[in-house]
Amino acid sequence: MEFADVARELLLVAPADFVRERTARQRAVRGDDRALATRIGGLRKPAPAAWVVDLLAHEGALDEAVALGPTIRQTQADADPDAIRQLRRQRSAVVAALAETGADRAADAGHPVTPAVLEQVRATVEAAMADPHAGAAVRSGLLVRPLESAGFDTVDLDGALADPDAVPEAWSGSGAEPVPIASARSARKPSRASRPAKPSQPKTESKPNSEPEPEPRVDPAAERRAAREAESLARTESRDADAALDAAETDLERAEDHRADLERQLADATAEVERATRARDDAEAASDRAREILRAAQRHRRDVGR
């Protein structure tokens, strides 16, 4: 069995049960394929939003959304306002329907998700429409973290798939340039109302005929770069935290298994001690009886010899 096949099955398991199922599958194949067992042991637990997307991918529910992507990108490139408005409405309807379906599937699996998770599901579906590589990624059923499309940037797929080699389309794709339908969002200049307030300064007497100090200029490009860097750092920290959590859960599973083994060994040893104790008591009683018979035989011999 290929690792990607095992990963697709495990990624459909509710997050609360993921580590236990992963450990069970790893043990099941360890005797036949240690390399595969090692890869299974290293499989990351999916983020809740990625789990919901994988559930949708398993049903083929994402096909319509991904297929709509090229039309959206072409319409955006053609700059047809009426067509763009129509596609925006269509995109919103498709995304909302998928989010609702995903919520239902998660609830059916006994793991209802929060509104924040559903917002990540919607963002992931929108990313799949905006970027053909992201579209291939979400349809693979191997997603382990949610995706997001921001401006004209390609969707960041680093660390997004359990087995990147199994989804070459996520990296080579069709070569189409990702053009999000809401591209104006990235180029929008922050309004003065959205800028952070300046700390209050003590009032000073103004000099006659002095020119007011110019307000510092805001560089939108620099702000976007800083925001992307901050997001990248936060994503890295989140992945590291998820990896640490997975490792801790795996260590806990192993420790519990080891404790169970020790408890079974202790129970076996206790039973063995009890059996040995009974055998010793029986042997001691038999020895006492044998000595009594010997003493009786000796007494009888002496009486006969007189």
Side-chain angles (χ1 to χ4, degrees), residues 6 10 13 17-31 37 40-41 250 253-254 257:
V6 179
L10 287 174
V13 175
D17 302 325
F18 176 81
V19 173
R20 182 176 65 252
E21 292 295 328
R22 180 185 62 187
T23 301
R25 182 61 66 89
Q26 182 184 22
R27 289 175 179 167
V29 304
R30 183 177 292 155
I40 292 173
T250 300
E253 289 274 348
R254 290 172 180 167
D257 290 343

Side-chain angles (χ1 to χ4, degrees), residues 23-298:
T23 301
R25 182 61 66 89
Q26 182 184 22
R27 289 175 179 167
V29 304
R30 183 177 292 155
D32 298 325
D33 192 335
R34 295 191 67 84
L36 177 59
T38 299
R39 294 195 70 185
I40 292 173
L43 177 63
R44 285 178 53 196
K45 180 171 70 174
W51 170 62
V52 173
V53 172
D54 287 334
L55 291 177
L56 294 172
H58 179 67
E59 297 181 358
L62 297 168
D63 294 350
E64 178 185 354
V66 174
L68 189 60
T71 303
I72 292 176
R73 293 191 293 273
Q74 184 59 51
T75 301
Q76 180 67 30
D78 293 342
D80 182 343
D82 292 336
I84 289 175
R85 281 193 293 271
Q86 181 179 353
L87 279 174
R88 280 178 177 169
R89 289 193 293 269
Q90 185 178 355
R91 182 187 69 169
S92 296
V94 170
V95 171
L98 286 171
E100 183 177 354
T101 301
D104 292 341
R105 297 297 179 269
D108 292 342
H111 192 78
V113 292
T114 65
V117 169
L118 288 182
E119 184 59 35
Q120 291 180 333
V121 172
R122 284 189 283 269
T124 300
V125 175
E126 290 177 352
M129 294 176 171
D131 185 338
H133 311 317
V138 300
R139 291 182 64 191
S140 70
L142 293 169
L143 205 66
V144 294
R145 68 166 178 83
L147 305 178
E148 184 177 4
S149 174
F152 289 98
D153 295 338
T154 56
V155 175
D156 178 16
L157 295 177
D158 184 29
L161 293 172
D163 187 3
D165 293 336
V167 196
E169 301 89 348
W171 310 107
S172 58
S174 62
E177 289 295 330
V179 182
I181 198 169
S183 58
R185 177 179 53 188
S186 68
R188 186 180 301 132
K189 196 170 184 178
S191 66
R192 293 187 60 175
S194 66
R195 296 173 187 163
K198 294 182 179 179
S200 60
Q201 299 290 341
K203 292 184 179 180
T204 59
E205 294 183 2
S206 60
K207 296 180 180 180
N209 301 324
S210 62
E211 292 291 335
E213 293 185 2
E215 188 172 317
R217 295 182 62 185
V218 177
D219 183 353
E223 285 191 343
R224 288 196 295 273
R225 284 195 300 271
R228 283 196 296 270
E229 291 172 0
E231 180 185 356
S232 177
L233 178 61
R235 183 179 291 115
T236 299
E237 292 178 349
S238 175
R239 291 175 192 155
D240 291 344
D242 287 344
L245 175 60
D246 284 351
E249 289 177 335
T250 300
D251 290 344
L252 176 60
E253 289 274 348
R254 290 172 180 167
E256 289 177 344
D257 290 343
H258 183 56
R259 181 182 65 181
D261 290 339
L262 291 176
E263 289 175 347
R264 284 192 294 270
Q265 293 175 15
L266 177 60
D268 293 342
T270 300
E272 185 63 26
V273 168
E274 291 176 351
R275 285 193 295 272
T277 300
R278 288 194 297 271
R280 184 205 59 187
D281 293 344
D282 292 342
E284 186 177 10
S287 176
D288 291 343
R289 288 194 298 271
R291 283 196 294 271
E292 183 62 32
I293 293 172
L294 174 60
R295 285 194 291 270
Q298 290 172 341

